[in-house]
Amino acid sequence: QVQLVQSGGGLVQAGDSLRLSCAASGRALYNYRMAWFRQAPGRERDFAAAIAWSDTRTRYADSVKGRFTISRDNPKNTMYLQMNDLKPEDTAVYYCAAVGGISGLPIVPGSYDYWGQGAQVTVSS
């Protein structure tokens, strides 16, 4: 089992930056894939970014590419999402997710086994 605890989020203005954190515990994350998803009211949970825990691979949704950066701190077992140049359409509840023992960097929520509690990000215009 993997437990994911999120921190960060809040209310910011358009153009501001924000960083989300996702601390993992429960087992070693070697060979795990981790990701950030977001869900706006009335919409499905959408992929934002993913990272492999043991190599340099990352993957981004087109809507966040160039503005968001996913990273990890292996000794701290923590993943981050640095969000720059935030836009009102980035407003959503952001979730971190993890899955082990697969190849690639999935973008479908159903591919992930473990989820954080979610964090609200609200961007005002």
Side-chain angles (χ1 to χ4, degrees):
Q1 291 286 338
V2 174
Q3 292 79 44
L4 303 176
V5 178
Q6 296 180 225
S7 59
L11 172 63
V12 297
Q13 294 186 332
D16 285 351
S17 298
L18 204 58
R19 190 177 79 161
L20 303 179
S21 300
C22 177
S25 63
R27 63 175 299 162
L29 297 178
Y30 179 79
N31 203 34
Y32 266 65
R33 284 35 171 154
M34 298 188 71
W36 291 98
F37 288 79
R38 60 187 186 178
Q39 189 166 18
R43 300 193 62 175
E44 295 183 348
R45 192 166 297 188
D46 292 330
F47 171 77
I51 190 167
W53 197 257
S54 301
D55 58 51
T56 60
R57 285 178 293 164
T58 58
R59 187 175 186 180
Y60 294 93
D62 288 343
S63 57
V64 307
K65 198 174 296 182
R67 299 187 299 120
F68 291 12
T69 302
I70 190 171
S71 63
R72 68 192 189 296
D73 185 329
N74 289 28
K76 293 184 178 180
N77 262 18
T78 301
M79 175 179 66
Y80 304 98
L81 186 67
Q82 177 66 42
M83 304 182 290
N84 297 330
D85 190 23
L86 282 161
K87 304 176 181 181
E89 50 264 41
D90 295 317
T91 295
V93 177
Y94 283 70
Y95 297 91
C96 62
V99 62
I102 65 171
S103 61
L105 293 172
I107 65 172
V108 177
S111 297
Y112 290 84
D113 292 329
Y114 305 103
W115 292 86
Q117 79 274 21
Q120 177 69 47
V121 173
T122 303
V123 185
S124 63
S125 58

